[in-house]
Amino acid sequence: MFVDAHMSEFDLIKQYFTRPTHHTDLGVGDDAALLSIPAGHQLAISADMLVSGTHFFADADPYQLGWKSLAVNISDMAAMGAQPRWATLAIALPDINESWLAEFSRGFFACAEEFNLDLIGGDTTRGPLTISVQIMGEVPTGKALKRAGAKVGDEIWVSGCLGDAALALAHMLGKFSLSAAEFASCAKALHTPQPRVALGLALRGLANSCIDISDGLLADLGHILECSKTGAEINLTSIPHSFVVSNYFSTKAVQQMVLAGGDDYELCFTAPVAAHAGIERVSEELVLPLRVVGHITNSLGLIVRGLNDEILDFKETGFDHFA
Ligand code: ADP
Ligand code: MG
């Protein structure tokens, strides 16, 4: 419940968070939303919360924040091979700032439209700026891509480029200095990530396991290994990165961003060698680079080979002393 002199909670929800829906039986405005899942499908559900000061700067651009708060959730659907369908939005606002709300909602709905997703409900309250989205998608029963499922001998693939978001963040924190053009290029990855939904859907039946890279390749690949009870060997030189990252790839700090930087929202997946040609066709169809960065092994743990094929010295979780 939110009481304010300028605008009621009801008016706020109506103005900023109510849009026509496309595949929902009953959307915003009742005590609960109603939706129907097609026969033969499972509902995939996930939630991600963004807290001011922890996940974004308090003065973050509201349009980008609206986009990103939905995009990071859609990315979880992509990683499951699920078609994103519905979302709810629980938001705590310190005050009613209408120009902020207008931009936040424009960014949120731009992302919703891009991925054909209905906002079907939520909650609005006063409090420190916090954005919590729950997302729901559908996937044919038994066809979801899980973290468990990687097999010894699988190739490990990564979509797009890694490291841009971490490099942009380092620049904003004054830890790294980029030219204006370089920053503009990297900042897109940080502020308006593009969840790989089409890729996730195309990988059903091809990939053995899949995860989205939100916490860095090593950490997220580590989840696949743990769930699949396997190990892996990857090569730093094979990891795809942008021209901006390649400008600085000789520095250890940037190598670490590629391996362990967060916020990329690309997919990391494993697939048998027999699926290699099929995955290359997917790459061409989607006009999305997909690269093999290593393979799954039967010795537990993750080995990373550096620029000269040397084994990099870090523990599976202790990326910090890699810098
Ligand atoms: P209740 O008191 O029954 O919890 P609310 O007054 O919180 O209902 O919400 C009224 C309607 O608006 C509900 O349908 C709810 O799902 C929706 N809603 C509230 N906040 C949001 C929001 N931020 N985004 C989308 N829908 C919202
Ligand atoms: Mg409520």
Side-chain angles (χ1 to χ4, degrees):
M1 188 55 191
F2 199 130
V3 182
D4 192 277
H6 310 290
M7 195 180 206
S8 75
E9 177 192 2
F10 179 76
D11 291 338
L12 185 157
I13 294 164
K14 196 165 171 196
Q15 185 160 347
Y16 297 111
F17 298 119
T18 308
R19 294 284 185 284
T21 56
H22 306 289
H23 40 257
T24 303
D25 301 331
L26 185 63
V28 169
D30 212 312
D31 295 311
L34 299 171
L35 51 89
S36 303
I37 313 158
H41 287 67
Q42 288 172 301
L43 190 60
I45 306 186
S46 163
D48 245 322
M49 184 152 70
L50 277 74
V51 178
S52 175
T54 304
H55 301 99
F56 59 89
F57 299 112
D59 62 353
D61 178 275
Y63 177 92
Q64 293 173 341
L65 195 56
W67 175 284
K68 186 167 179 175
S69 54
L70 185 54
V72 302
N73 280 277
I74 291 176
S75 178
D76 285 314
M77 294 291 107
M80 294 302 288
Q83 175 73 56
R85 285 279 186 217
W86 306 278
T88 62
L89 167 67
I91 187 164
L93 299 164
D95 51 33
I96 293 182
N97 175 337
E98 290 208 51
S99 57
W100 189 96
L101 275 166
E103 279 300 283
F104 176 86
S105 122
R106 202 168 65 81
F108 188 96
F109 282 109
C111 189
E113 266 158 46
E114 175 82 28
F115 293 93
N116 189 22
L117 181 136
D118 288 349
L119 179 65
I120 59 168
D123 201 15
T124 307
T125 180
R126 188 186 296 275
L129 183 58
T130 306
I131 302 148
S132 183
V133 173
Q134 183 180 54
I135 189 154
M136 285 147 279
E138 59 197 31
V139 59
T141 301
K143 297 281 186 251
L145 305 172
K146 300 181 197 157
R147 297 177 177 189
K151 304 271 185 305
V152 174
D154 273 6
E155 291 177 314
I156 302 168
W157 296 77
V158 167
S159 67
C161 290
L162 299 186
D164 274 9
L167 193 53
L169 181 64
H171 175 90
M172 289 172 77
L173 294 171
K175 292 181 182 165
F176 209 92
S177 185
L178 297 172
S179 73
E182 287 173 335
F183 175 67
S185 168
C186 290
K188 275 189 273 171
L190 180 65
H191 296 312
T192 47
Q194 304 293 321
R196 300 305 187 189
V197 173
L199 175 60
L201 298 180
L203 289 176
R204 288 177 190 161
L206 284 175
N208 281 338
S209 67
C210 186
I211 192 166
D212 66 322
I213 305 175
S214 53
D215 295 332
L217 175 62
L218 297 188
D220 290 317
L221 174 58
H223 295 313
I224 285 186
L225 302 184
E226 204 174 307
C227 294
S228 302
K229 301 187 174 59
T230 57
E233 185 167 322
I234 62 172
N235 292 289
L236 177 57
T237 47
S238 309
I239 300 173
H241 49 261
S242 67
F243 76 96
V244 181
V245 166
S246 66
N247 289 346
Y248 303 99
F249 203 61
S250 56
T251 66
K252 285 270 177 204
V254 171
Q255 291 171 20
Q256 188 185 10
M257 290 173 198
V258 167
L259 284 168
D263 265 359
D264 287 310
Y265 300 102
E266 294 295 346
L267 296 186
C268 172
F269 56 96
T270 79
V273 177
H276 189 102
I279 292 169
E280 290 202 319
R281 275 195 297 277
V282 168
S283 173
E284 278 163 33
E285 278 160 21
L286 301 180
V287 199
L288 174 64
L290 302 175
R291 293 254 325 245
V292 173
V293 301
H295 62 278
I296 297 291
T297 62
N298 57 11
S299 53
L300 292 185
L302 176 56
I303 289 174
V304 183
R305 292 199 180 265
L307 299 186
N308 304 306
D309 217 34
E310 78 283 14
I311 293 179
L312 296 181
D313 180 23
F314 62 91
K315 297 223 170 55
E316 216 182 316
T317 48
F319 312 135
D320 351 348
H321 44 103
F322 177 61

